[in-house]
Amino acid sequence: HKGSESMKSAIFTALLLPAVAILGVPIVSRWSPFEVLGVEPASIPEKITDLKRSTSPNDFLMAPPGFFTAEPDEASPIFKVSIARLRTAWFTMINGVPRTQLIARKSSNEFHFEQRTPLLKFPDRIVVKFIPLSEDHSTLAIYSRSLYGHSDLGANKRRVKAWLKLLKEHIPAPFDYTELPTGLPSNNVA
């Protein structure tokens, strides 16, 4: 009987130690368990205009209707500021967002960010494209996607909404409508 208890303890330890090591790595490093195990992350397009939506419910797209082939989950607001002012407000806002870093600049108006979850360090990718509509009107497209897992339980949608709320605090008079004012171009994504 004593030998079987010792065997159970050895098996439990043999199973527990690798799990603790793998799950403990994110706490002391910047890597998630998936990255430690070498699991391939979801792919993100080089440019947001090449976006093809995920088949799993782990992404969220806020964009002007009709600007991309991918259908947005929600329409972006139009801001009564130049694209330069919108971009400046974005970077001022994003500098205060924890665990978030710029990882790529694809053009002067498109940027890729990564944000990691606090405990397990799961990475999410966020692509932002600033879109000029006129000299003093602009909008943006934001695509947020979890790189691992099937469902994000609404995390990407909450992130985009929270970031948009923070962004509006840095802009004097954002427009909350999604219809273009009369006379503005309707498909300027360059």
Side-chain angles (χ1 to χ4, degrees):
H1 189 306
K2 201 173 194 178
S4 78
E5 287 298 317
S6 176
M7 180 63 113
K8 286 180 186 175
S9 178
I11 291 171
F12 179 75
T13 302
L15 295 174
L16 182 64
L17 283 177
V20 168
I22 289 170
L23 292 175
V25 167
I27 295 169
V28 296
S29 78
R30 72 178 298 270
W31 309 112
S32 75
F34 290 117
E35 291 163 301
V36 170
L37 293 171
V39 175
E40 191 68 31
S43 64
I44 299 294
E46 278 297 309
K47 301 187 103 185
I48 196 169
T49 50
D50 299 332
L51 177 65
K52 295 199 180 10
R53 295 298 299 274
S54 170
T55 56
S56 64
N58 67 354
D59 70 349
F60 184 79
L61 175 63
M62 178 180 281
F67 273 76
F68 304 111
T69 54
E71 190 64 33
D73 295 301
E74 195 166 306
S76 299
I78 295 170
F79 298 90
K80 191 176 180 180
V81 295
S82 69
I83 190 172
R85 176 70 179 99
L86 182 61
R87 193 174 41 243
T88 299
W90 174 271
F91 277 98
T92 300
M93 176 276 297
I94 206 72
N95 283 333
V97 177
R99 301 173 320 280
T100 303
Q101 65 180 356
L102 175 66
I103 58 170
R105 177 183 177 165
K106 298 299 180 174
S107 72
S108 63
N109 291 327
E110 186 172 327
F111 301 87
H112 291 221
F113 297 87
E114 181 178 88
Q115 184 178 51
R116 289 183 176 266
T117 59
L119 183 62
L120 293 179
K121 310 289 193 280
F122 292 122
D124 290 339
R125 191 66 43 88
I126 304 93
V127 180
V128 179
K129 181 168 182 71
F130 301 98
I131 304 166
L133 299 173
S134 73
E135 249 182 60
D136 61 352
H137 286 85
S138 57
T139 189
L140 72 168
I142 307 172
Y143 178 63
S144 182
R145 168 138 189 203
S146 301
L147 295 182
Y148 296 101
H150 177 73
S151 175
D152 67 353
L153 303 174
N156 287 295
K157 179 179 182 176
R158 284 190 304 276
R159 173 187 300 113
V160 171
K161 297 266 200 180
W163 286 11
L164 190 62
K165 183 178 178 186
L166 288 171
L167 177 63
K168 287 180 178 183
E169 293 173 10
H170 291 86
I171 295 179
F175 281 43
D176 281 328
Y177 56 76
T178 55
E179 295 296 317
L180 291 171
T182 309
L184 295 182
S186 61
N187 60 356
N188 185 2
V189 271

